[in-house]
Amino acid sequence: MIKFSCPSCGKNYTIGEELFGKRVQCKKCGDKIRLPSKPEGDDETLPASATLAPPVSDGMGKNEGAYRHQSCQGITSVMGEDFYYVANIFSPPHTTFCQKCNDHLPLAEFEWVHSGEPILHFHARHRAKFQGIDRWLGWDKFIFAGIALGGGVGLILGGAIGTIWGGTAVTVCAIGLAVVGAGIGFAVTGTIAVRTLDRVLGTSDFTKLT
């Protein structure tokens, strides 16, 4: 067993050997701390999972993050698509879930645990890096516009081609080329958006921003 105190808030823990040397998240303050690799005591206690949050990554950029509700100080961990959704600097959600309050609350009330920076400030800080046309090219709605434009052009072109044969050919050609056009629009605008993000931010993955 390990006797250990969080260096940030002073909360005391006695940790089971399964967490020796691992990085964990303090349940009280939410900070990520590295546990000692060797025991400092031999007290018996409950399993580590009962006192500490599960091991966590070294911070943002590992497809896992955590934010703090500024009112209740509750910590909520997010990963995968949920993490990306909250970190999206162009189209963030208006609300997000607080595990302690068990409710969806305005995103303006939350901050990242790893930095203490309000999430909305994080979004604005990175958006400010985009100048001129880049503000449009890096936006995910640019991709949606490309899909709509490509699909519209394909629909018109397909309808025109279909009239040559008449009958159901008009519908078949219109739908078929609309799908193809939408796919081309997605591929082209998606590539442009990703390259713009890589050029301005150094990455197209918002979860890797700091």
Side-chain angles (χ1 to χ4, degrees), residues 87-100:
N88 190 322
I89 66 173
F90 287 113
S91 300
H94 296 294
T95 64
T96 193
F97 186 73
C98 174
Q99 191 170 10
K100 186 174 181 179

Side-chain angles (χ1 to χ4, degrees), residues 42-200:
D42 54 6
D43 291 350
E44 293 185 359
T45 188
L46 295 174
S49 58
T51 54
L52 276 178
V56 295
S57 66
D58 288 337
M60 296 181 68
K62 303 290 187 180
N63 204 33
E64 180 181 356
Y67 52 73
R68 178 188 295 109
H69 185 205
Q70 294 170 331
S71 296
C72 74
Q73 292 297 299
I75 305 294
T76 301
S77 295
V78 286
M79 61 189 305
E81 292 183 0
D82 292 334
F83 184 16
Y84 186 87
Y85 189 44
V86 175
N88 190 322
I89 66 173
F90 287 113
S91 300
H94 296 294
T95 64
T96 193
F97 186 73
C98 174
Q99 191 170 10
K100 186 174 181 179
C101 295
N102 194 31
D103 194 11
H104 281 82
L105 300 165
L107 195 62
E109 298 181 8
F110 294 86
E111 62 188 14
W112 293 120
V113 169
H114 78 285
S115 65
E117 181 180 21
I119 295 179
L120 291 188
H121 183 275
F122 163 84
H123 293 156
R125 177 167 58 84
H126 286 294
R127 281 199 306 270
K129 299 175 182 179
F130 291 80
Q131 302 295 323
I133 194 173
D134 284 343
R135 295 178 178 176
W136 169 247
L137 297 180
W139 199 16
D140 51 9
K141 287 184 173 56
F142 171 63
I143 299 177
F144 299 147
I147 294 173
L149 178 61
V153 171
L155 183 65
I156 294 172
L157 183 60
I161 294 176
T163 56
I164 298 176
W165 292 283
T168 58
V170 176
T171 302
V172 172
C173 288
I175 294 176
L177 287 185
V179 173
V180 172
I184 294 175
F186 172 75
V188 173
T189 55
T191 299
I192 293 174
V194 167
R195 289 182 177 177
T196 300
L197 292 172
D198 284 338
R199 175 167 49 82
V200 176

Side-chain angles (χ1 to χ4, degrees), residues 14 35 55 91 120-121 208-209:
T14 304
L35 296 176
S91 300
L120 291 188
H121 183 275
K208 293 182 180 179
L209 297 175

